[in-house]
Amino acid sequence: MFNKDYINDTIAAQCSGMTQAGIGVIRISGKDAIDVADKIFLTGAGKKISEFPNNSIRHGFIYDIRKSLPEKTDEVMLSVMRGPHSYTGEDVVEVNCHGGFYITKKILEIIFSTGVRPAEPGEFTKRAFLNGRMDLSEAEAVMSLINSKNEDALKNSMDQLSGRLKSRIISLRKDILFETAYIESALDDPEHYDLTGYPEKLKEKVIVFSKAISDMKDSYDNGRIMQDGVRTAILGKPNAGKSSLLNNISGYDRAIVTDIAGTTRDSIEENVNFGKLQLRLIDTAGIRNADDTVEKIGVERAFEQADKADMIFFVLDSSVPIDENDKKIIEFIKDKNAVIILNKSDLPPVLDEKKIKEDLTNSFPVIKISSKTGEGIDELKELTEKFFEDPDHGLNDEIIITNARHKKELDQAYDSLQLVKKSIDDGMQEDFFSIDLMSAYEHLGYIIGEDVGEDLVDEIFSKFCMGK
Ligand SMILES: Nc1nc2c(ncn2[C@@H]2O[C@H](COP(=O)(O)OP(=O)(O)OP(=O)(O)O)[C@@H](O)[C@H]2O)c(=O)[nH]1
Ligand SMILES: [Mg+2]
């Protein structure tokens, strides 16, 4: 299916970030990798890398062989990893050079002058997949590992990279295939296989398979939270101190704060690390019946943001009494995830805390803070962390799906299994069962890269960063 000539050439790219740094890493992969390294590198004692054992690293010099008299270009460490036991499954050479823009670019140019081709984004990992070093779900885990912004996301990517999702999918596929094979054998050889009572047994198994798949499907929301952060909308009436809270949590003056009610007009987003969590914090316009057109739109947007959010920080100004605007918000958040924040704890309290708890039927945690002095922010942090550690909202599920492509295939596998169940309930012939069982089998296979087309593979790897 895949063009083998294509994988016969040798590629190279800078693997370290495109920034000034102590060390820059350039990777060369393909059948000529070691020959190329021999042409451009010598140790101080004049030895070539091909003379060195596998998985070793050597100190030496890169020479600019484009000059008539090769010229020392950089002092480097060079490592050699021969295929098939390398990242890509091919011969790989890595150059650790000095990490300046100019020097890494120059070494790459020397490498390209030998006929090596620049690697496309994700091409090293794509080769690892094509050479059977990892399945598609593991290759995708490499990308999410690089993109991880917090502890949970990192742990989950590492789990996926070590093949946890893959083993679950493989075992499910094996069980589904067994049933299909049984049906096919029974239809071919009715003398030795008896299908009496089989549909009922199959139905029980299909329910078990469906449950396993729906658990993975359900974890997708948590997966998104883990990967992109908890969408947290800060909601409250004008002047409650919403923008001050955003500024306090993000650690700098992100939003404009004034004592004029209606300062924030449009929603403002900021990604912050909040304890172990990553929050996508959204400051919104203060909720009130505004006459001003712009402010009105701002208020509508505030409610839209709160609707989409995983969590609402409802900010009340504890130095003034509750008013109609607060009541409107109390009504709005009733069936949502929210924390009630009594802000301005540094001022004499006016607001009746007991009354608020009653109004909210005690269903939300209430916390006192001061966005001005920072009092209570640590408690808010702990409370938010605890909320998302709770197994109900949990980031502790066994396997967590973070990839939209995986979710889509799981949806389709699940739907196919529901068709099997329906055919059983409708008393259809056994061969109907196997068609939909096989469809579920195929969709699960796409997750790990069984029988996926070249286009899809190109699409997936093109999302990777350079040098990976
Ligand atoms: N004393 C005290 N003042 C605060 C606190 N938080 C905010 N303020 C003050 O309250 C006023 C309004 O603060 P903002 O953060 O702009 O309020 P907001 O909710 O974003 O207001 P809008 O954008 O108009 O909806 C400012 O003068 C802040 O300095 C606090 O904890 N203590
Ligand atoms: Mg504001």
Side-chain angles (χ1 to χ4, degrees):
M1 169 177 43
F2 294 102
N3 182 353
K4 275 287 172 191
D5 287 345
Y6 158 74
I7 211 162
N8 255 334
D9 59 5
T10 301
I11 55 174
Q14 180 177 344
C15 294
S16 50
M18 301 283 175
T19 135
Q20 216 93 2
I23 293 174
V25 180
I26 293 169
R27 180 186 282 150
I28 314 170
S29 177
K31 65 177 177 27
D32 299 329
I34 292 168
D35 275 356
V36 168
D38 272 351
K39 283 185 192 148
I40 63 167
F41 171 88
L42 282 178
T43 67
K47 291 217 156 50
K48 294 180 168 197
I49 202 75
S50 54
E51 301 171 38
F52 291 111
N54 199 19
N55 295 332
S56 60
I57 183 159
R58 286 293 184 272
H59 171 263
F61 301 90
I62 296 285
Y63 289 84
D64 189 348
I65 53 164
R66 297 170 300 179
K67 304 271 159 80
S68 50
L69 210 63
E71 200 173 82
K72 252 186 203 171
T73 301
D74 194 11
E75 185 176 350
V76 302
M77 297 296 290
L78 199 132
S79 43
V80 56
M81 291 147 281
R82 293 180 176 85
H85 302 292
S86 67
Y87 182 71
T88 58
E90 307 167 334
D91 286 348
V92 171
V93 169
E94 278 176 13
V95 184
N96 288 16
C97 59
H98 288 103
F101 283 117
Y102 189 74
I103 185 67
T104 23
K105 184 167 155 271
K106 186 164 175 188
I107 295 174
L108 263 176
E109 279 165 6
I110 297 172
I111 293 168
F112 294 147
S113 77
T114 66
V116 169
R117 175 171 67 73
E120 290 160 21
E123 197 173 359
F124 294 114
T125 312
K126 180 174 173 178
R127 288 187 171 202
F129 166 66
L130 295 178
N131 290 322
R133 294 290 290 159
M134 50 176 84
D135 83 318
L136 208 48
S137 70
E138 288 163 338
E140 286 167 318
V142 172
M143 184 159 50
S144 46
L145 190 76
I146 294 171
N147 290 334
S148 295
K149 297 188 198 84
N150 58 59
E151 197 56 37
D152 286 321
L154 183 70
K155 186 174 162 294
N156 190 57
S157 311
M158 206 44 227
D159 273 356
Q160 192 175 316
L161 184 57
S162 30
R164 192 127 155 259
L165 175 62
K166 177 174 92 174
S167 350
R168 172 72 64 89
I169 298 289
I170 288 176
S171 101
L172 259 169
R173 287 184 96 217
K174 202 173 124 225
D175 292 346
I176 293 176
L177 195 63
F178 177 86
E179 298 308 323
T180 322
Y182 186 85
I183 295 171
E184 296 300 324
S185 315
L187 294 174
D188 278 356
D189 185 6
E191 273 178 37
H192 292 97
Y193 295 87
D194 185 10
L195 282 175
T196 330
Y198 174 74
E200 290 71 34
K201 272 192 214 140
L202 177 64
K203 188 174 166 184
E204 277 168 28
K205 287 188 180 161
V206 167
I207 291 172
V208 174
F209 302 155
S210 303
K211 170 81 169 67
I213 294 177
S214 73
D215 282 351
M216 285 192 269
K217 268 157 52 98
D218 291 348
S219 74
Y220 183 64
D221 251 356
N222 291 334
R224 182 187 53 73
I225 287 177
M226 199 190 285
Q227 209 72 26
D228 301 337
V230 181
R231 278 190 78 92
T232 309
I234 308 179
L235 208 60
K237 70 180 166 204
N239 264 350
K242 300 178 294 302
S243 301
S244 304
L245 179 61
L246 174 81
N247 290 351
N248 187 304
I249 294 179
S250 43
Y252 75 109
D253 285 340
R254 172 71 178 89
I256 300 171
V257 167
T258 72
D259 56 4
I260 305 163
T263 300
T264 308
R265 297 297 187 92
D266 208 348
S267 308
I268 299 173
E269 285 198 31
E270 183 71 10
N271 271 308
V272 294
N273 281 318
F274 201 47
K276 277 194 277 174
L277 291 171
Q278 167 97 10
L279 300 190
R280 254 173 94 179
L281 209 50
I282 305 150
D283 180 22
T284 62
I287 303 296
R288 68 170 165 187
N289 270 328
D291 296 326
D292 180 287
T293 319
V294 179
E295 198 180 341
K296 235 186 203 149
I297 298 171
V299 172
E300 278 166 26
R301 286 203 177 166
F303 281 122
E304 278 166 26
Q305 291 290 358
D307 242 344
K308 282 193 290 185
D310 304 306
M311 167 73 117
I312 294 169
F313 284 169
F314 173 24
V315 182
L316 281 150
D317 182 343
S318 63
S319 69
V320 299
I322 286 251
D323 65 14
E324 284 308 309
N325 296 320
D326 296 316
K327 286 189 183 145
K328 195 167 171 188
I329 301 169
I330 290 173
E331 205 38 53
F332 176 81
I333 59 168
K334 279 231 156 96
D335 55 350
K336 300 196 158 51
N337 293 333
V339 178
I340 315 300
I341 295 174
L342 307 182
N343 189 34
K344 310 197 186 178
S345 63
D346 54 301
L347 298 177
V350 169
L351 183 147
D352 186 348
E353 193 181 331
K354 223 175 107 216
K355 174 84 176 52
I356 291 179
K357 285 191 176 163
E358 276 166 20
D359 279 356
L360 286 162
T361 58
N362 285 320
S363 51
F364 297 104
V366 177
I367 192 155
K368 283 187 206 169
I369 69 158
S370 165
S371 297
K372 196 171 177 181
T373 66
E375 188 196 343
I377 299 283
D378 281 343
E379 283 84 346
L380 177 63
K381 199 179 281 177
E382 278 166 29
L383 201 136
T384 318
E385 266 180 13
K386 263 210 202 96
F387 182 84
F388 283 95
E389 270 170 12
D390 183 329
D392 282 350
H393 315 104
L395 296 180
N396 287 334
D397 287 340
E398 256 211 343
I399 287 179
I400 295 176
I401 300 296
T402 53
N403 184 306
R405 190 183 73 81
H406 299 171
K407 167 72 165 49
K408 190 179 127 234
E409 302 300 348
L410 287 170
D411 281 340
Q412 287 177 332
Y414 182 86
D415 292 347
S416 301
L417 289 181
Q418 303 326 294
L419 290 176
V420 179
K421 225 163 76 187
K422 187 167 185 307
S423 304
I424 297 173
D425 289 342
D426 293 350
M428 307 285 273
Q429 292 284 321
E430 280 81 1
D431 41 0
F432 276 92
F433 309 161
S434 58
I435 294 172
D436 292 318
L437 279 172
M438 280 319 281
S439 156
Y441 177 83
E442 273 169 23
H443 284 295
L444 291 175
Y446 294 153
I447 294 175
I448 53 174
E450 292 283 325
D451 288 331
V452 288
E454 195 166 352
D455 288 351
L456 178 65
V457 169
D458 285 345
E459 158 77 18
I460 289 168
F461 287 99
S462 67
K463 293 193 185 115
F464 273 62
C465 49
M466 259 332 260
K468 196 60 230 180

